[in-house]
Amino acid sequence: MPTPPANGNRVTGPRRRWRWTLVLIALAWSFGVVVRLYWIHYAAGVDGGQWHGVAITNNRDSYLFGCILQKAYLGMHQDNAMVPGVLDHGMITVLPYLVLVVLPVTIDQLILYLPVLIAPLLAVPLVLIGRLERRPGWGFAAALLAVVANCYYNRTLAGYFDTDIFSVTVPTLALFFLLGALRTQSLFWVLAASVTLLVYPFFYGPGLPIGY
């Protein structure tokens, strides 16, 4: 009767690699989160840097998106034609609105912390690309660099509540799927890339030419 260790190794090997991949993603994401929290510390030491005990946003578009959330969730600005509906700007207002419905948080808190949590998700497709190319260490290194890259970092700080937090992550995820399609010759990967590019404008409207 054959012994099971060979099968066991075949099963645990991929699981181990996936666990290692998840650890690398978590580390790179956590690094991006910690670095972005600097703005909150900085604003605490600036006169007028807080509102209702929360560090104020550092991007003018954030005030528009905040007003949209106030209109949709709090019923404010109903007579203001300059404040559009919650669906008009896509995921940047839809996601926080859903969070407001589910969790006991304020709009001010969401505007401050969502960029901190979402922008470092760029690490996910980069680490996965490294794993796909059998170079997880290089994917991890790329993720560490990308989540704090100068321009991207400046536009995704705590309080910089804008569509920039999605602008790079979604097409990078599509790139991962396209690379997977080239490696596996599988229509599933092509479909995943197509769907990702299809929904990309909902996350970042100016990115439509990138999809093309």
Side-chain angles (χ1 to χ4, degrees):
M1 182 175 181
T3 54
N7 290 335
N9 288 336
R10 284 197 295 270
V11 172
T12 58
R15 284 182 181 172
R16 232 174 246 167
R17 286 193 291 271
W18 270 114
R19 285 174 186 166
W20 179 237
T21 301
L22 293 175
V23 168
L24 294 180
I25 289 174
L27 288 174
W29 175 83
S30 300
F31 175 67
V33 168
V34 171
V35 174
R36 277 168 177 78
L37 291 175
Y38 168 76
W39 168 259
I40 301 175
H41 171 73
Y42 171 78
V46 176
D47 291 338
Q50 296 196 7
W51 179 257
H52 293 161
V54 180
I56 61 173
T57 179
N58 44 45
N59 171 33
R60 61 185 181 184
D61 288 340
S62 303
Y63 293 99
L64 170 62
F65 299 137
C67 289
I68 293 173
L69 292 173
Q70 288 178 335
K71 182 176 182 178
Y73 186 69
L74 300 178
M76 301 169 62
H77 316 298
Q78 295 300 320
D79 298 326
N80 189 345
M82 299 294 291
V83 180
V86 74
L87 294 174
D88 291 356
H89 284 273
M91 189 58 75
I92 192 65
T93 48
V94 170
L95 176 61
Y97 175 75
L98 295 176
V99 174
L100 286 169
V101 171
V102 175
L103 298 179
V105 294
T106 66
I107 294 174
D108 294 335
Q109 291 169 336
L110 281 179
I111 289 176
L112 181 64
Y113 286 103
L114 272 184
V116 174
L117 300 175
I118 294 176
L121 290 176
L122 175 59
V124 176
L126 289 173
V127 174
L128 290 178
I129 288 173
R131 185 183 189 277
L132 184 67
E133 299 299 326
R134 299 184 178 89
R135 295 292 187 272
W138 284 107
F140 176 63
L144 290 178
L145 289 172
V147 296
V148 294
N150 188 32
C151 186
Y152 183 68
Y153 171 72
N154 289 339
R155 298 180 69 87
T156 57
L157 287 168
Y160 203 105
F161 186 65
D162 202 352
T163 53
D164 296 274
I165 61 177
F166 303 115
S167 62
V168 183
T169 302
V170 178
T172 306
L173 183 62
L175 175 62
F176 163 67
F177 289 134
L178 289 171
L179 291 172
L182 288 173
R183 180 172 289 278
T184 65
Q185 299 294 304
S186 169
L187 287 178
F188 169 79
W189 291 83
V190 176
L191 177 62
S194 301
V195 171
T196 303
L197 291 174
L198 182 67
V199 301
Y200 183 35
F202 187 71
F203 287 82
Y204 185 67
L208 190 59
I210 298 176
Y212 287 142

